[in-house]
Amino acid sequence: SFVTGLVLMVVVLFFFLKDGPRIWEFLQRPFQGEWHDRMERIGKKSVDTIGAYVRGTASVAAVDAIGIGIGLFVLGIPLALPLTLLVFLLAFIPIVGATLAGVLAALLALVDGGRIDNGLIAAIIVVGIVILVNQLEGNFLQPVLMGRALKLHSLVILVALTVGTVLANILGAILAVPFTAVA
């Protein structure tokens, strides 16, 4: 089902990118006059808001990847570059993404300590780096960057993330901020 969902997502994304304006026109067809103009404004504002969310998330993910990646390179952890890229990709999942990638990095450090002779010490250092970067990102950088990008107060971002995570787990964490911003 994962492969089917992935293929479907790629096909739908292709059509949204190829025919996005035509699809939006089709959805607006039932609306006339003032309601049509209102739907036009809502659509433009929603697309702008989601674009700002993606740009803000990419900035936060880059900071996560750079911070954790520097630590991995300094420690000489094998596969530091692929792990850094994995941190960047998983950081698009709020709260747990970069942490999950950090756990993988710590496990790899445990097996091969890099420049440190003891893998356990290297793994503990990697866990410390991941915790430090995630705390800075989650409690400071993400609310501030997202607040500016989405024109929402940092507290609103934190509350939206918390409520989304409590109500719908990882999916709620991913969708809470963009839904709040669009609303």
Side-chain angles (χ1 to χ4, degrees), residues 88-176:
F88 176 76
L89 293 174
L90 289 179
F92 279 85
I93 302 171
I95 301 169
V96 297
T99 304
L100 179 61
V103 167
L104 293 174
L107 289 173
L108 192 58
L110 187 62
V111 173
D112 181 355
R115 291 192 180 102
I116 298 175
D117 291 338
N118 188 343
L120 180 62
I121 294 172
I124 291 170
I125 293 171
V126 168
V127 167
I129 291 168
V130 169
I131 289 171
L132 177 69
V133 169
N134 283 339
Q135 288 301 312
L136 290 173
E137 171 261 322
N139 295 321
F140 176 70
L141 185 63
Q142 185 172 20
V144 170
L145 275 180
M146 290 301 196
R148 287 185 183 158
L150 301 175
K151 297 177 181 84
L152 291 174
H153 192 277
S154 300
L155 180 62
V156 172
I157 304 266
L158 284 173
V159 170
L161 273 173
T162 303
V163 169
T165 304
V166 168
L167 293 178
N169 299 320
I170 292 174
L171 185 61
I174 293 170
L175 298 176

